[in-house]
Amino acid sequence: MKATVYTGNQSFAVIEKEIDMPKKGEVRIKVAYSGICGTDVHIYHGMMDKRVSIPQTIGHEMSGVIDAMGEEVEGFQVGDKVVVRPLDDRLVQPSDKGFNHICEKLKFIGIDSPGSMQQYWNIPAFVLHKLKPETDLKLAALIEPLSVAVHDVRMSGLEAGETAVVLGGGPIGLLVAMVAKEAGAKVIISEVNETRIKMAADFGLQAVNPTKTDLVQYVREETEGRLADVVFEVAGVQPALDVMTEVAGIRGRIVMVAIHGQKKPVDLFKFFWKELKLIGARVYEKEDYEKAITLVTANELPFGKMITDVQPLSKIQEVFESIDKNPEGLKVLMDCQL
């Protein structure tokens, strides 16, 4: 079978390897599509070389069909359409307080262990979620990032009728905005890239460029002075941290979606003055995956527009190089059978 491996130095190789039988408790998935996310791009740039065992097959946003089953696997059968929730929590301990998705010794499949950018993938059955037979496997490859957005919105406590401001209109920001709107909120996206602002409008979402329009004043006018009930910080840049406490209204909730690898300045006075709350949100739980699957299966939101390119697995090197040259794209899928 065909598989890809990250070999370091911004390089991928396409190799041939044997198709292995699944071990006890495992299934073998014929991978249909594998999406490329920001973490994969970080790996490509060598930013995670200390964590990734080189050479490594990466990838965790995926969809596929069960091709074979090992012993003691229950609840699934060959031919089932599935997605993987790529969290290996087998090293959970009492100090994790039952929050297995953020346990201290959590292993992220596709980063800490081999991932989905290969034709066939052996994986523990406990990370599988079954899809309905009619599910579009291209759209199903969006379930993992959509689950992130579902988790973020759930953690925010967002209620219908509230106003949500999403700082950052990239793939996750757009998904957060879609989920928040589906929950009944008024949603405003802040994004500096004009192409992505146009994409947001095409998705039926309201977006504003904060370098051209005073975001705080704009939200104030849109909310009769109340400002945002919930702010999702998805951009991961200092200007977003600066404005998040300004655009949040009294007792507003700020959800930290972006990953900040270094300490950043934040206006803590505003937390005191307006009784704000800062909420951390990391990956997802089982219920978030099931909600994301329901949304994709219903296909009432413009998920298809998120997919801006589909390329054969054999062109993985060219795809990562093109992502660097075209940062305005949203979601690129690898067809893992080509």
Side-chain angles (χ1 to χ4, degrees):
M1 73 167 186
K2 188 182 301 177
T4 66
V5 288
Y6 166 66
T7 56
N9 300 317
Q10 298 188 19
S11 297
F12 285 89
V14 179
I15 63 172
E16 290 291 332
K17 58 183 291 189
E18 293 293 326
I19 300 178
D20 296 324
M21 288 299 298
K23 300 175 183 177
K24 183 171 68 175
E26 290 184 343
V27 302
R28 187 173 70 212
I29 300 173
K30 183 178 182 180
V31 183
Y33 299 96
S34 186
I36 296 175
C37 80
T39 301
D40 298 323
V41 176
H42 288 326
I43 292 172
Y44 168 69
H45 283 292
M47 298 170 64
M48 302 179 71
D49 281 0
K50 292 183 178 179
R51 180 174 173 182
V52 176
S53 298
I54 301 173
Q56 175 78 292
T57 298
I58 67 170
H60 56 274
E61 301 181 1
M62 60 74 64
S63 63
V65 177
I66 294 179
D67 175 71
M69 295 176 33
E71 298 177 0
E72 299 184 10
V73 174
E74 298 179 353
F76 297 94
Q77 60 185 9
V78 172
D80 282 344
K81 291 182 178 180
V82 293
V83 289
V84 166
R85 180 169 42 88
L87 306 180
D88 186 344
D89 61 358
R90 285 177 286 189
L91 297 178
V92 66
Q93 48 198 354
S95 58
D96 297 315
K97 302 179 182 179
F99 297 107
N100 293 23
H101 70 298
I102 50 174
C103 61
E104 182 181 357
K105 296 182 179 180
L106 180 71
K107 299 296 183 183
F108 200 100
I109 300 169
I111 300 174
D112 301 309
S113 60
S116 58
M117 291 188 189
Q118 52 187 320
Q119 289 187 306
Y120 293 88
W121 189 26
N122 290 5
I123 198 80
F126 70 83
V127 301
L128 294 181
H129 286 258
K130 188 186 298 186
L131 304 175
K132 291 187 176 181
E134 65 269 24
T135 307
D136 184 322
L137 288 177
K138 282 186 181 178
L139 297 184
L142 301 175
I143 286 171
E144 194 273 349
L146 178 59
S147 298
V148 172
V150 170
H151 184 71
D152 297 337
V153 172
R154 180 168 65 87
M155 291 293 288
S156 77
L158 185 70
E159 297 181 358
E162 290 190 315
T163 297
V165 171
V166 180
L167 304 177
I172 295 297
L174 287 173
L175 289 172
V176 168
M178 280 191 267
V179 174
K181 185 177 179 180
E182 190 269 344
K186 175 182 178 63
V187 181
I188 299 170
I189 299 173
S190 174
E191 171 58 51
V192 300
N193 186 303
E194 289 294 336
T195 299
R196 287 187 168 175
I197 290 174
K198 292 177 182 177
M199 287 180 177
D202 192 36
F203 286 19
L205 298 168
Q206 186 176 358
V208 60
N209 188 333
T211 66
K212 296 181 178 180
T213 302
D214 185 321
L215 177 65
V216 177
Q217 184 59 30
Y218 181 88
V219 175
R220 192 185 301 278
E221 292 172 357
E222 290 285 313
T223 59
E224 298 181 335
R226 295 188 303 273
L227 295 174
D229 300 293
V230 178
V231 180
F232 296 95
E233 202 295 88
V234 195
V237 295
Q238 188 61 49
L241 296 178
D242 294 338
V243 79
M244 69 182 188
T245 54
E246 298 285 344
V247 78
I250 289 173
R251 286 200 170 180
R253 292 99 69 197
I254 299 172
V255 182
M256 189 54 58
V257 181
I259 300 172
H260 293 269
Q262 298 176 337
K263 294 181 180 180
K264 303 285 181 63
V266 174
D267 188 352
L268 294 179
F269 177 78
K270 292 294 193 304
F271 282 87
F272 156 76
W273 196 247
K274 295 191 281 189
E275 291 193 349
L276 302 178
K277 291 182 180 179
L278 181 62
I279 302 167
R282 179 180 164 199
V283 290
Y284 28 65
E285 297 176 80
K286 289 182 179 180
E287 62 188 282
D288 303 312
Y289 246 70
E290 289 302 323
K291 170 69 172 180
I293 289 170
T294 298
L295 290 173
V296 165
T297 303
N299 198 19
E300 295 174 352
L301 298 176
F303 296 124
K305 294 181 180 179
M306 292 287 298
I307 302 170
T308 51
D309 195 13
V310 180
Q311 291 290 333
L313 192 66
S314 56
K315 292 189 176 181
I316 187 169
Q317 181 68 34
E318 295 95 322
V319 168
F320 274 87
E321 291 173 359
S322 67
I323 288 174
D324 269 357
K325 297 174 184 175
N326 180 29
E328 295 176 345
L330 292 178
K331 185 57 61 179
V332 179
L333 300 184
M334 307 303 300
D335 185 330
C336 292
Q337 294 304 310
L338 296 178

